[in-house]
Amino acid sequence: MSFKSLIFRNLLKNMKNYYLYVFALVFSVSLYFAFVTLQFDPAMDAAEGSIKGEAAIKTASVLLIVIVTVFLVYANNLFIKRRGKEIGLFQLVGITKRNVFWIVGLESFALYFGSLALGIFLGFSSSKLIMMILLKTIGVDEVAQLQFSTEALTQTLIVFAAIYIVMMIFNGWYIKRQRILSLFHTTSTSEEKKHKVSFWEILVGIFGLSLIIVGYYLSTKLFDGQFTMINQMFIVMLVILGSVIIGTYFFYKGSVRFLFNLIRKKENGYLSVNKVLSLSSIMFRMKSNSLLLTVITTVSALAIGLLSLSYISYYSAEKTAKETVVYDFSVPNEEHAEEFTTLLEESQIDYHQTTIKMVAANADLSNVVDTNLAEMNTIGDDGQIPVIIVSDHDVEGLDVKESEAALIGIHSAIETFMSFDTGNMTVSGKTASYDLNLNKVMKDKYVIPTRVGDGGFPITVVDDKVFQQLSDDIDPEIVPEFTVSIGIDIDNKSDIVKANEIFQSSVGEWAGHESLLETFNNQKQNLGLIMFVVAFLGLTFLITSGCILYFKQMDEGEQEKSTYTILRKLGFTKTDLLNGIKIKQLFNFGIPLLVGLSHSYFAVKSGWFWFGTEMWIPMIIVMVLYTLLYSIFGILSVVYYKRLIKEAL
């Protein structure tokens, strides 16, 4: 048999094991090529805001290279180790290690660059669709064009050629250092099979669970006002991260074996075939895979968490813009407001105007705020904090008595640091002070734009008489940037676009002058771009990590093949064996998924309010979609085992 025939024959023989590897490679190449094509697409000029579209895609492409490189190198290592016996046989019949390396290298070359060509073609074919999705997500009215980028092709070829060289370097190193005898034992010695659960493993398991619980607990306390200094919060974040990651490693190292061993003891050693194929297998393999599973779980949690937070921001963009700007147009200047409304009248655009005067005064909130304001460095030496005060006469639907006060417009991010309650508070002007009873805390009532008010801090509403007295007794040291808030709402919403054009061309350049439509569009564009990038990176990791777990199951299945033959001879049917395999795959894929979902839930829950106004719906949508896509690899592994059982019997 010629050298070329040997290579071709081995390539065809191994294709049945490489099909998912080829799929993942083609997917990675097509996604990377499409990403780089977006980077050089002229339509990306429309995706520029506070975050430049091209820079975002470029950053994503770098991260994509890291993910794909790790995956391809790992998959290549796994497959060459599985071919240990074959490589050993080549050497037994007299083929030198150099020629063995060329056989493996040429096989990989044909498979790799064939997949690369197919991936580039699919990436080019799908680039228009991806651009359409991006433009739709960011709300840009542009037409996507299908065009081939030579720059993208060159960059893709260079990147994946470099990855191939890295893979070949490892293959050469692996073949050179292995002895013939060791090659025949690579699969049989790859997993630990110690059956007894030691006392040390029990301690490790309990310690791992305890670390995870500690990390979860600290995450719930991160933004509740207990940690007020930046340095404190940074240290706590590091503790949470380290505790959860180390705890996850120990969880796989000892906790799973410990918990499953309790189930075995409960059965007094009489295990059904389902438990033999599921619990026993996982107990004796998950420990040796603990590092890999920890990495997959951690990055899964990171991907789900970032996807959830980015979707929370995107999902809440409209409501966030409404809370921030409040009106269709905010013009905190009477002269500019008059100029703008005159132009609206000339264009026959009907509107109504809301004018609210504001003053700044010192306030003692120690009795109504549950947080120590001194530790947060938000109060002066006299124990008071500057607040924005408005009259109840200017706030529709709110009547405050002369001896009372109300707080309105409490943003969720502010509320996480300090909790407001009813009680006594003191408001001071330059010469006089007023003791007021704070009896109303209205979180969702917004009348002053965030930029015009106090940056999101609640607005204090007092009786009109008290407001007038404070206006005549202003402390010159705490005069606010704006003394009036003028909100202009367009009656006919179909005129919003035209009114926005007038606003941008007349007064939109002044500080504090905001358009609700413009703010929403900017948020949607920036947040949509972030969500798009994170979603594709998350999808890439989902595919690669799912493939890695699938490859591990292929490896384990080959080692357990003889077990299925023995169980069949003992009288168990194919259905019995397959049911046990299904439970095994439910644990193999389900445990890392559940742990990752749990980690991401607590991570998102600890700080979601910084990103939007709604947590549950966006987070649940992301988690359900991730779970459904992830489950595909579990189903594929069951199909593979079904074929393996058939061959074994």
Side-chain angles (χ1 to χ4, degrees):
M1 182 182 296
S2 66
F3 194 68
K4 293 182 179 179
S5 299
L6 182 62
I7 294 173
F8 182 73
R9 179 184 176 187
N10 277 280
L11 181 61
L12 291 179
K13 184 181 71 173
N14 290 300
M15 275 300 295
K16 66 178 183 179
N17 295 327
Y18 284 151
Y19 66 92
L20 195 58
Y21 171 71
V22 172
F23 163 76
L25 178 58
V26 170
F27 171 82
S28 302
V29 173
S30 61
L31 185 60
Y32 181 79
F33 182 77
F35 249 105
V36 180
T37 301
L38 293 183
Q39 181 181 332
F40 297 104
D41 198 311
M44 282 305 298
D45 294 336
E48 294 186 7
S50 61
I51 298 179
K52 185 172 172 58
E54 182 181 341
I57 298 299
K58 185 178 295 185
T59 302
S61 64
V62 173
L63 294 176
L64 195 59
I65 291 173
V66 176
I67 296 173
V68 171
T69 301
V70 172
F71 162 69
L72 292 179
V73 171
Y74 176 84
N76 174 75
N77 295 350
L78 188 63
F79 276 113
I80 196 172
K81 288 178 181 179
R82 289 191 63 201
R83 298 182 62 183
K85 290 183 179 180
E86 183 181 351
I87 294 173
L89 286 174
F90 285 156
Q91 296 183 41
L92 279 177
V93 298
I95 300 177
T96 64
K97 288 187 176 182
R98 179 185 293 273
N99 286 335
V100 171
F101 170 76
W102 282 111
I103 291 174
V104 175
L106 290 175
E107 287 179 13
S108 301
F109 182 88
L111 193 67
Y112 188 90
F113 285 95
S115 302
L116 180 62
L118 180 59
I120 290 174
F121 172 75
L122 293 178
F124 167 68
S125 303
S126 61
S127 60
K128 180 179 178 179
L129 175 61
I130 294 176
M131 176 57 77
M132 290 172 60
I133 294 173
L134 173 58
L135 295 178
K136 181 69 175 178
T137 303
I138 64 179
V140 174
D141 189 16
E142 291 284 337
V143 178
Q145 301 291 336
L146 181 63
Q147 56 182 3
F148 188 83
S149 171
T150 55
E151 295 93 339
L153 175 63
T154 303
Q155 189 168 323
T156 302
L157 290 176
I158 292 174
V159 167
F160 282 89
I163 296 175
Y164 177 77
I165 292 173
V166 172
M167 292 165 52
M168 290 303 98
I169 290 174
F170 177 86
N171 288 351
W173 175 75
Y174 175 79
I175 293 172
K176 182 178 180 180
R177 73 183 182 90
Q178 293 294 329
R179 296 176 299 173
I180 294 179
L181 185 61
S182 64
L183 288 170
F184 285 94
H185 296 281
T186 53
T187 57
S188 62
T189 60
S190 61
E191 302 287 353
E192 178 183 347
K193 293 190 176 182
K194 186 178 71 172
H195 288 248
K196 185 177 179 181
V197 179
S198 66
F199 178 73
W200 170 249
E201 286 178 316
I202 294 176
L203 289 180
V204 167
I206 296 175
F207 182 61
L209 289 173
S210 301
L211 283 177
I212 294 175
I213 294 173
V214 168
Y216 287 172
Y217 174 77
L218 289 177
S219 71
T220 62
K221 302 296 182 181
L222 185 60
F223 294 109
D224 67 351
Q226 294 189 24
F227 308 105
T228 55
M229 305 295 293
I230 297 297
N231 291 337
Q232 288 180 340
M233 296 185 66
F234 179 72
I235 293 174
V236 173
M237 287 180 181
L238 290 179
V239 171
I240 293 173
L241 187 64
S243 176
V244 171
I245 293 177
I246 296 173
T248 302
Y249 176 76
F250 286 146
F251 172 79
Y252 291 122
K253 200 75 173 175
S255 301
V256 175
R257 285 169 63 94
F258 169 61
L259 294 175
F260 283 7
N261 189 57
L262 293 179
I263 298 176
R264 293 184 65 194
K265 286 186 175 181
K266 185 178 179 181
E267 300 290 337
N268 294 322
Y270 297 98
L271 299 180
S272 65
V273 66
N274 292 344
K275 292 180 179 178
V276 169
L277 292 175
S278 57
L279 300 185
S280 298
S281 176
I282 293 172
M283 280 183 64
F284 306 133
R285 293 186 183 274
M286 192 159 283
K287 180 180 179 180
S288 57
N289 296 333
S290 55
L291 181 59
L292 172 66
L293 292 175
T294 300
V295 173
I296 290 178
T297 300
T298 302
V299 183
S300 291
L302 181 63
I304 297 172
L306 291 177
L307 279 168
S308 298
L309 293 175
S310 62
Y311 189 43
I312 285 172
S313 299
Y314 185 79
Y315 185 88
S316 307
E318 184 174 2
K319 187 175 181 181
T320 301
K322 183 65 178 176
E323 291 181 358
T324 303
V325 183
V326 183
Y327 308 99
D328 289 337
F329 301 96
S330 170
V331 187
N333 182 283
E334 294 178 343
E335 293 181 3
H336 297 161
E338 184 177 356
E339 178 185 347
F340 177 53
T341 54
T342 299
L343 293 174
L344 290 178
E345 292 169 358
E346 291 176 356
S347 300
Q348 297 182 344
I349 297 177
D350 297 328
Y351 66 92
H352 59 275
Q353 180 174 314
T354 303
T355 302
I356 301 178
K357 294 183 178 181
M358 305 178 296
V359 296
N362 284 317
D364 182 0
L365 303 179
S366 57
N367 293 327
V368 297
V369 178
D370 292 341
T371 304
N372 190 333
L373 298 177
E375 293 183 357
M376 299 181 66
N377 296 322
T378 57
I379 63 175
D381 296 334
D382 55 358
Q384 295 187 323
I385 181 173
V387 296
I388 297 296
I389 298 178
V390 300
S391 169
D392 65 344
H393 180 74
D394 293 332
V395 180
E396 184 179 354
L398 184 60
D399 183 23
V400 179
K401 296 180 180 179
E402 188 173 344
S403 60
E404 296 177 348
L407 286 182
I408 61 174
I410 303 176
H411 289 265
S412 55
I414 294 294
E415 192 176 10
T416 58
F417 283 102
M418 54 186 70
S419 177
F420 298 90
D421 202 354
T422 57
N424 295 322
M425 61 179 291
T426 302
V427 177
S428 304
K430 182 179 180 181
T431 59
S433 298
Y434 304 87
D435 294 326
L436 304 174
N437 178 30
L438 178 65
N439 61 355
K440 293 181 181 178
V441 179
M442 307 175 69
K443 301 177 182 179
D444 299 325
K445 189 174 185 64
Y446 299 93
V447 297
I448 303 293
T450 301
R451 175 67 178 84
V452 177
D454 199 12
F457 197 83
I459 303 298
T460 304
V461 183
V462 298
D463 180 71
D464 186 62
K465 183 178 179 180
V466 176
F467 178 79
Q468 296 301 332
Q469 292 173 348
L470 287 170
S471 300
D472 297 333
D473 190 30
I474 295 176
D475 187 343
E477 294 183 0
I478 56 170
V479 175
E481 181 180 1
F482 303 103
T483 58
V484 63
S485 168
I486 301 176
I488 299 171
D489 288 310
I490 305 302
D491 293 339
N492 189 348
K493 298 305 178 184
S494 61
D495 294 330
I496 284 289
V497 175
K498 184 178 180 181
N500 186 64
E501 293 175 355
I502 296 173
F503 179 84
Q504 297 299 330
S505 62
S506 58
V507 300
E509 63 182 14
W510 297 93
H513 296 52
E514 297 176 293
S515 162
L516 178 61
L517 177 62
E518 198 72 18
T519 301
F520 171 66
N521 287 338
N522 289 337
Q523 288 187 359
K524 186 177 180 181
Q525 180 173 319
N526 294 333
L527 297 174
L529 183 59
I530 293 173
M531 187 179 71
F532 176 84
V533 170
V534 172
F536 270 84
L537 289 176
L539 182 61
T540 305
F541 177 78
L542 171 65
I543 298 294
T544 54
S545 61
C547 287
I548 287 174
L549 287 177
Y550 178 85
F551 296 154
K552 289 295 294 182
Q553 294 311 301
M554 291 175 62
D555 191 40
E556 292 179 9
E558 291 293 336
Q559 296 179 45
E560 296 173 354
K561 198 171 181 178
S562 59
T563 304
Y564 308 142
T565 304
I566 296 173
L567 290 173
R568 183 69 179 92
K569 291 180 179 180
L570 292 176
F572 294 105
T573 64
K574 292 182 180 179
T575 303
D576 294 330
L577 298 179
L578 191 59
N579 288 337
I581 292 300
K582 289 178 181 178
I583 297 175
K584 174 187 175 182
Q585 299 314 311
L586 181 64
F587 283 123
N588 275 323
F589 288 87
I591 291 177
L593 176 63
L594 288 177
V595 177
L597 290 174
S598 178
H599 290 354
S600 62
Y601 165 75
F602 280 94
V604 171
K605 189 175 183 296
S606 67
W608 69 271
F609 36 79
W610 293 107
F611 297 87
T613 58
E614 173 64 40
M615 181 187 81
W616 286 106
I617 294 178
M619 184 178 68
I620 290 174
I621 290 175
V622 169
M623 288 185 172
V624 169
L625 288 176
Y626 195 94
T627 301
L628 291 176
L629 293 174
Y630 191 86
S631 301
I632 293 175
F633 295 95
I635 296 172
L636 289 175
S637 68
V638 172
V639 173
Y640 173 80
Y641 268 91
K642 186 176 182 180
R643 187 185 70 190
L644 199 65
I645 291 173
K646 184 178 179 181
E647 293 175 356
L649 303 184

